[in-house]
Amino acid sequence: MARKDKDVSEKKPRWYKLVWQAYTFTRSQNPAITWQILGIIVGIIALGFGFGFAVHQVAFWGALSIPLGLLAGLMFLTNRFTKAQYAALDGEIGASRAVLGTLGKVWTFAEEPVAIDAKTQDIVFRGVGRPGIVLIGEARISRIQKLIADEKRRLARAVKEVPVTVLVVGDREGQVPLSKLPKTVRKLKPKLTKAEVGEVERRLRALGGMQLPVPKGMDPTRARISRKDVR
């Protein structure tokens, strides 16, 4: 039993290792991050000591400013780490599915896309939640609207009464930037009960997934295409 607990603890990374990994990754995207963090920490500590001198409580405010400075630096790193992740994913095939994994159990997104354009590598992912069904399109060119229209016709055969929201990821007018995608999906208003969501998921499983082959150049580790679809 002790050996089992030891193995579990060894597999779980320490918090400081996670912080270091976040720092090194962010630094690869933003080389100035080290000086930015140090500037925030030193600045807050200096303000704390300065205020302490002004009110004649140097020890108290000086001691308080040190953990506050470290906390502010960590929060700044977390913010920049998130932005660096989005920047690294932006433009990659399957990036929208990767960031939607942060939504937790509120939404269910299939690992595989439901539609792919073999020529342009435009892809569409499908999710189900209390707001209904959401189709997430990754558009290289405007022809993705045909993929979305085809998928909506498929859905109409199985879940005609369920509301369908379409979001196209990109930086063009009318599209949703990758960094704002999770927040945009979270803002959708609930329209189904939990029981209705379960029924919709059951019907979609019966409807099946993508029937197209994987296009040439597709990265299967990102799009997570099943071997059945490849065959």
Side-chain angles (χ1 to χ4, degrees):
M1 184 67 179
R3 178 57 182 269
K4 185 177 180 180
D5 293 340
K6 182 179 179 180
D7 292 340
V8 172
S9 64
E10 288 176 351
K11 293 179 180 179
K12 186 177 180 180
R14 302 288 184 178
W15 67 268
Y16 53 83
K17 289 185 178 180
L18 295 176
V19 172
W20 178 254
Q21 289 172 1
Y23 166 72
T24 54
F25 177 79
T26 307
R27 187 178 59 183
S28 68
Q29 303 289 323
N30 176 18
I33 187 67
T34 303
W35 298 110
Q36 292 171 344
I37 294 174
L38 287 176
I40 291 173
I41 295 174
V42 172
I44 291 178
I45 292 175
L47 285 174
F49 275 95
F51 185 76
F53 274 112
V55 298
H56 305 291
Q57 293 181 341
V58 178
F60 174 77
W61 287 103
L64 181 63
S65 66
I66 294 175
L68 288 178
L70 293 174
L71 179 60
L74 182 60
M75 292 175 63
F76 180 80
L77 173 62
T78 301
N79 178 268
R80 289 299 184 269
F81 173 62
T82 301
K83 290 184 176 181
Q85 284 183 308
Y86 284 130
L89 285 171
D90 199 12
E92 294 288 333
I93 296 175
S96 60
R97 177 62 187 85
V99 301
L100 289 171
T102 62
L103 294 179
K105 297 181 179 180
V106 179
W107 284 88
T108 301
F109 283 89
E111 292 291 333
E112 305 170 359
V114 293
I116 291 181
D117 187 309
K119 293 182 179 180
T120 65
Q121 294 189 350
D122 292 349
I123 59 178
V124 178
F125 288 96
R126 184 178 67 206
V128 181
R130 291 196 60 191
I133 297 172
V134 62
L135 298 179
I136 308 294
E138 293 186 8
R140 274 64 185 173
I141 59 177
S142 60
R143 278 186 291 179
I144 196 171
Q145 296 303 330
K146 182 180 183 303
L147 287 181
I148 293 173
D150 291 343
E151 178 60 21
K152 290 178 73 174
R153 280 193 290 270
R154 291 183 68 228
L155 293 174
R157 295 197 296 268
V159 285
K160 185 177 181 179
E161 69 283 2
V162 178
V164 178
T165 302
V166 176
L167 300 174
V168 179
V169 179
D171 297 321
R172 300 175 184 174
E173 185 178 355
Q175 297 180 340
V176 181
L178 183 66
S179 60
K180 296 182 179 180
L181 182 60
K183 184 178 180 180
T184 302
V185 175
R186 286 193 188 98
K187 285 185 176 181
L188 297 176
K189 296 181 179 180
K191 297 180 180 178
L192 305 176
T193 64
K194 291 183 178 180
E196 289 172 334
V197 171
E199 176 62 19
V200 171
E201 291 178 341
R202 185 189 67 79
R203 294 187 187 182
L204 292 180
R205 284 195 296 268
L207 180 64
M210 181 184 64
Q211 301 299 318
L212 297 175
V214 180
K216 184 178 181 180
M218 188 68 154
D219 184 351
T221 62
R222 292 187 180 277
R224 304 179 188 274
I225 310 300
S226 68
R227 293 184 180 181
K228 180 180 178 181
D229 290 325
V230 174
R231 290 195 294 267

